[in-house]
């Protein structure tokens, strides 16, 4: 009897399990679920909304394979190395704003720190263009912006240059353009940093004699050359150092260095940030609408950045009244302005700038504080430009 009861129990359990399985199958068929109905995206055609930003080129390669490098819409970061500028920085004596910055280094730092993530952080956040500015001060290369100095760049296996090298090696499907410029004292070789980067990246560096801005993305990947080094200081004449004129902003870079009279006039007229945003967005739209002409064969950097010089008096007042302002405004004024602009930039990218007339000229979109965006909405809005043809179909 004991044996029979055990056998009956096993049979009941098997029958119940079969019934549950049958119900699950029936439910799946009723709602159109189940493996047979699952629609998977074709390989290499991931959605911009869900793509892994650290590997977006590889995951979307079917959209990009045949496109020239200067025909791919990609996020970029402006003054990429400035993320490490401290609140009370040292100064680059060769920097263009050294004399002004020396009057108040803390104020200078607040309008010089343009990024909040490290270089590899920016790459993970989708940037495929880095604007790298280096200063040789005290015998060492440091990142800088204007004059305020950031961290050491070439600092052995644990340094930032080495970390970028590791990232490049680990992401062979991601083509990264690095614009390198340097500020040096008299008699110092301005080409040293780009030469050291070339030695560091080795065979991954694309040569301009074999590849160009109009070469298809897939040619870079198949050749294993996923780094483009732009010699913005025109310090080196080698095939691996792409000339400074390989790249153009097509007039989108806001004019800088206003006179003190213009700054004071702006202060007394109460120049709000929206005037700065309007200036940038207007320049951007004109650059996108302009016929490339001689720039057709160059990389195009749309400089969607703020020009904070006219806001210096406002920042000075903020520093005087510092207890009444949060650190995010007082100590990071440039990024505070940038985040106001970036919100409006996302809207432009998702609406007017998606028109075929403007989107066809989209290439690198360089911004301040790239990583300070919820779920990477700015980066994804740029990347999604590459899928417009598919959306149209």
């Amino acid at each position: 009897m004991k044996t029979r009861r055990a056998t009956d129990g096993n049979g009941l359990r098997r029958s119940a399990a079969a019934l549950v399985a049958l119900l699950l199958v029936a439910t799946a068929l009723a709602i159109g679920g189940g493996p047979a109905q699952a629609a998977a995206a074709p390989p290499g055609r991931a959605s911009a909304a869900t793509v892994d930003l650290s590997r977006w080129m590889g995951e979307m390669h079917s959209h990009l394979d045949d496109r020239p490098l200067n025909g791919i819409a990609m996020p970029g970061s402006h003054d990429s190395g400035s993320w490490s500028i401290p609140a009370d920085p040292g100064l680059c004596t060769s920097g263009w704003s050294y004399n002004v910055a020396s009057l108040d280094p803390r104020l200078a730092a607040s309008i010089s720190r343009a990024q909040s993530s490290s270089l590899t952080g920016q790459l993970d956040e989708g940037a495929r263009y880095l604007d790298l500015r280096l200063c040789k001060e005290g015998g060492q290369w440091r990142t800088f912006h204007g004059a305020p100095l950031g961290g050491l760049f070439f600092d052995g296996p644990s340094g930032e240059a080495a970390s970028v090298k590791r990232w490049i090696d680990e992401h062979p499907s991601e083509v990264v353009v690095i614009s390198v410029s340097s500020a040096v004292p008299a008699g110092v070789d301005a080409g040293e940093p780009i030469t050291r980067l070339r030695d560091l990246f080795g065979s991954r560096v694309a040569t301009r004699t074999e590849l160009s801005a109009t070469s298809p993305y897939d040619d870079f990947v198949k050749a294993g050359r996923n780094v483009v080094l732009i010699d913005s200081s025109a310090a080196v004449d080698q095939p691996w150092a792409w000339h400074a004129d390989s790249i153009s902003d097509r007039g989108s870079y806001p004019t800088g260095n206003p006179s003190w009279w213009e700054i004071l006039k702006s202060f007394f007229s109460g120049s709000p940030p929206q005037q700065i945003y309007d200036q940038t967005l207007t320049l951007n739209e004109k650059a996108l609408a302009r016929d490339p002409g001689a720039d057709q064969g160059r990389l195009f950097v749309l400089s969607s950045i703020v020009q904070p010089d006219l806001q210096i008096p406002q920042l000075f007042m903020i520093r005087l009244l510092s207890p009444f302002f949060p650190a995010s405004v007082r100590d990071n004024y440039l990024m505070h302005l940038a985040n106001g602009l970036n919100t409006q930039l996302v809207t432009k990218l998702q609406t007017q700038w998606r028109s075929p007339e403007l989107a066809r000229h989209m290439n690198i979109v360089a911004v301040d504080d790239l990583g300070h965006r919820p779920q990477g909405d700015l980066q994804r809005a740029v990347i999604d430009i590459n899928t417009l043809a598919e959306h149209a179909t």
Side-chain angles (χ1 to χ4, degrees):
M1 290 295 293
K2 290 182 181 178
T3 306
R4 176 155 186 171
R5 276 197 295 271
T7 304
D8 289 346
N10 288 337
L12 287 171
R13 281 192 292 271
R14 283 195 295 271
S15 298
L19 180 59
V20 171
L22 185 60
L23 288 171
L24 289 172
V25 170
T27 303
L29 290 172
I31 64 174
Q37 284 75 31
R45 298 186 78 82
S47 161
T50 59
V51 72
D52 179 350
L53 290 175
S54 71
R55 302 179 183 276
W56 69 266
M57 282 184 155
E59 291 188 7
M60 299 180 72
H61 72 83
S62 294
H63 292 288
L64 311 178
D65 281 347
D66 299 327
R67 291 195 188 193
L69 191 63
N70 68 353
I72 296 174
M74 63 181 85
S77 64
H78 173 245
D79 276 300
S80 311
S82 64
W83 71 273
S84 60
I85 293 174
D88 194 5
L91 299 179
C92 173
T93 53
S94 308
W96 63 267
S97 67
Y98 173 74
N99 291 333
V100 175
S102 61
L103 299 176
D104 189 340
R106 293 184 67 88
L107 185 147
S110 186
I111 58 172
S112 294
R113 195 181 303 105
Q115 302 295 333
S116 54
S117 301
S118 67
L119 294 181
T120 52
Q122 293 165 42
L123 293 169
D124 281 337
E125 290 155 0
R128 294 298 173 265
Y129 168 81
L130 299 177
D131 170 25
L132 183 60
R133 307 183 188 197
L134 299 170
C135 168
K136 193 158 195 179
E137 189 68 29
Q140 295 178 307
W141 288 102
R142 293 180 176 272
T143 55
F144 87 110
H145 179 194
L149 289 166
L152 289 174
F153 187 67
F154 296 105
D155 193 22
S158 61
E160 190 157 37
S163 69
V164 173
K165 194 265 185 191
R166 285 191 295 272
W167 196 97
I168 295 293
D169 288 342
E170 292 166 2
H171 297 77
S173 63
E174 309 305 299
V175 179
V176 180
V177 179
I178 306 178
S179 173
V180 185
S181 58
S182 56
V184 296
V188 173
D189 179 14
E192 181 187 341
I194 194 170
T195 301
R196 291 179 67 170
L197 283 173
R198 189 270 174 189
D199 293 342
L200 186 66
F201 297 145
S203 63
R204 293 207 170 274
V205 177
T207 59
R208 53 185 164 79
T209 52
E210 297 174 352
L211 294 162
S212 71
T214 58
S215 296
Y217 156 81
D218 199 38
D219 285 4
F220 287 86
V221 175
K222 285 180 177 176
R225 299 186 180 274
N226 61 323
V227 184
V228 173
L229 291 177
I230 307 286
D231 180 19
S232 294
S233 294
V236 176
D237 187 17
Q238 294 291 337
W240 49 262
W242 291 38
H243 292 153
D245 64 3
S246 298
I247 204 161
S248 170
D249 63 35
R250 298 186 194 172
S252 65
Y253 201 99
T255 55
N257 300 325
S259 67
W260 282 109
W261 167 244
E262 291 173 311
I263 291 174
L264 288 173
K265 185 171 68 173
S266 168
F267 176 65
F268 287 111
S269 66
S271 173
Q274 188 58 47
Q275 292 182 16
I276 299 176
Y277 303 158
D278 290 343
Q279 177 200 26
T280 297
L281 295 173
T282 299
L283 289 174
N284 284 176
E285 288 178 355
K286 287 180 178 178
L288 286 170
R290 185 175 294 121
D291 188 320
D295 289 335
Q296 189 72 48
R298 298 172 178 154
L299 293 161
F300 168 35
V301 176
L302 186 73
S303 295
S304 294
I305 60 173
V306 296
Q307 174 47 263
D309 292 3
L310 293 178
Q311 293 282 305
I312 290 174
Q314 282 87 337
L315 176 57
F316 183 70
M317 293 298 294
I318 289 170
R319 291 206 56 79
L320 285 178
L321 302 172
S322 59
F324 302 99
F325 291 89
S328 59
V329 176
R330 182 185 65 244
D331 298 332
N332 294 285
Y333 194 59
L334 174 55
M335 287 193 286
H336 165 69
L337 295 176
N339 287 314
L341 172 64
N342 289 346
T343 299
Q344 298 181 33
L345 179 61
V346 171
T347 301
K348 288 285 189 181
L349 288 163
Q350 293 174 339
T351 55
Q352 295 102 312
W353 294 2
R354 284 177 63 85
S355 67
E357 296 76 20
L358 300 184
R360 67 192 176 95
H361 289 158
M362 197 76 72
N363 187 203
I364 298 163
V365 180
V367 301
D368 293 319
D369 206 6
L370 174 79
H372 191 75
R373 298 303 308 166
Q375 291 77 51
D377 62 347
L378 193 159
Q379 301 94 301
R380 295 181 192 279
V382 174
I383 294 167
D384 195 44
I385 297 293
N386 298 304
T387 68
L388 283 185
E390 180 179 289
H391 290 321
T393 359

